[in-house]
Amino acid sequence: MTNYTVQFKHGDDVELEYNDEKHTYMVEDKLVPAVTRIVDAVSPKNLTEWAAKAGADWWRVTYLAEEFIKIMDMYEGIRNAHRDISREAQNIGSDVHKWIELWIKFKINGGSAVADYPYEVKTPMENFHKWVESREVEWIASEKKVYSKFWNYAGTIDALAKINGELYVIDFKTSAKIYKEYYLQVYGYAQAIHEMVNDDSNKHYPKGIIVRLDKNENKFQEVAFECEPRVFHNALSLKEFQSKRIKKLKI
């Protein structure tokens, strides 16, 4: 468990405990939901269509490569193909985020980071640098812990920065495309940042940027947008509903 002090511009800082192994947050010895868990509750990661295609692709490759395969092996292969792909993708994504965090912190501290990246992350990191070169970015923080007092949830943002004088919550992805739930995740971070930096001179929510770093090709995709925290508020209500026990009536 690691302790973080989440600072609010108007005072009343919050002590946040983070369990890296379980990816859980606690405030005053009570668990608070994580942004990613809230998003998962309303938009599951393992999409049915993608999972079915992953299984079918595994069957096709295996069937062509082998003359005979046991039925149960085939069954297990189809059932778990999407999990194997997802696990590998998550490992690469995690490694890319660690390298990005190191690079940004070097820049914030006035350093110049040059690295010989491992093969697995070389392409997405090269795409990260291409994106950085395309923008004038004033880095503020990397892997920053945030907490919403009003809505009682926590999270860790990839990066906080100013671009063209505007404050942005930046989320880096290494997925095959930019999915709708990614916006919801940034909305949640924007709400927390808004509470943490808000004062009489700053009543606006930060904007959002999702940067997709392709893992296989030399390209990146950037989407900038206005954040809509009210949509995330609805997601919080839906998550609460999903975990709530419905009281049955006698009629």
Side-chain angles (χ1 to χ4, degrees):
M1 192 78 74
T2 306
N3 294 323
Y4 295 89
T5 300
V6 179
Q7 296 180 324
F8 289 78
K9 194 165 186 176
H10 50 70
D12 299 326
D13 297 344
V14 171
E15 296 301 317
L16 184 70
E17 295 182 32
Y18 176 66
N19 187 316
D20 187 52
E21 183 179 348
K22 296 181 179 179
H23 193 71
T24 56
Y25 300 87
M26 295 185 71
V27 173
E28 295 181 351
D29 296 324
K30 294 182 180 179
L31 280 171
V32 298
V35 170
T36 50
R37 297 291 186 266
I38 295 166
V39 172
D40 288 348
V42 298
S43 187
K45 287 183 177 179
N46 296 323
L47 304 176
T48 303
E49 182 179 349
W50 174 79
K53 182 179 182 301
D57 288 345
W58 181 90
W59 181 87
R60 176 174 54 81
V61 172
T62 303
Y63 181 78
L64 292 175
E66 301 289 340
E67 294 182 1
F68 177 80
I69 187 171
K70 293 181 180 179
I71 292 177
M72 287 307 298
D73 287 344
M74 180 71 77
Y75 170 79
E76 291 297 329
I78 293 175
R79 192 168 70 92
N80 295 312
H82 71 285
R83 292 191 180 94
D84 294 338
I85 296 171
S86 179
R87 191 177 300 111
E88 180 183 356
Q90 287 174 1
N91 289 340
I92 294 175
S94 178
D95 288 345
V96 168
H97 276 79
K98 289 176 182 176
W99 281 106
I100 289 176
E101 177 188 4
L102 287 173
W103 188 89
I104 292 175
K105 287 182 176 178
F106 265 111
K107 296 295 288 186
I108 291 174
N109 293 322
S112 179
V114 178
D116 184 15
Y117 298 115
Y119 174 78
E120 292 78 9
V121 303
K122 189 174 182 62
T123 298
M125 285 307 300
E126 288 176 348
N127 290 329
F128 166 74
H129 289 295
K130 288 179 182 178
W131 175 76
V132 171
E133 291 170 2
S134 72
R135 294 290 181 192
E136 290 289 335
V137 184
E138 180 186 343
W139 299 105
I140 297 173
S142 176
E143 293 296 316
K144 181 178 179 65
K145 298 293 184 290
V146 298
Y147 175 68
S148 167
K149 284 184 180 180
F150 191 83
W151 296 95
N152 190 37
Y153 66 84
T156 305
I157 63 174
D158 290 348
L160 188 67
K162 282 189 176 181
I163 300 176
N164 298 329
E166 297 276 4
L167 185 63
Y168 282 89
V169 173
I170 304 175
D171 203 40
F172 297 106
K173 300 296 184 185
T174 56
S175 51
K177 60 185 291 188
I178 293 178
Y179 296 99
K180 202 67 172 286
E181 58 263 33
Y182 295 168
Y183 297 93
L184 190 58
Q185 184 179 349
V186 175
Y187 292 169
Y189 296 144
Q191 169 68 49
I193 287 293
H194 173 71
E195 294 179 33
M196 291 165 63
V197 304
N198 184 41
D199 60 16
D200 292 337
S201 65
N202 180 15
K203 294 295 185 182
H204 300 290
Y205 285 94
K207 293 180 171 61
I209 291 182
I210 297 170
V211 183
R212 189 184 72 84
L213 308 170
D214 200 282
K215 297 192 297 286
N216 303 309
E217 299 181 34
N218 294 319
K219 62 181 181 181
F220 66 83
Q221 180 183 3
E222 175 199 82
V223 180
F225 50 92
E226 297 280 353
C227 289
E228 300 182 53
R230 63 177 179 80
V231 180
F232 188 77
H233 303 162
N234 294 335
L236 276 166
S237 298
L238 183 56
K239 184 182 185 303
E240 181 182 357
F241 168 76
Q242 289 178 332
S243 60
K244 183 179 179 181
R245 185 173 182 180
I246 305 298
K247 184 178 180 180
K248 297 179 181 179
L249 298 176
K250 290 184 178 181
I251 58 175

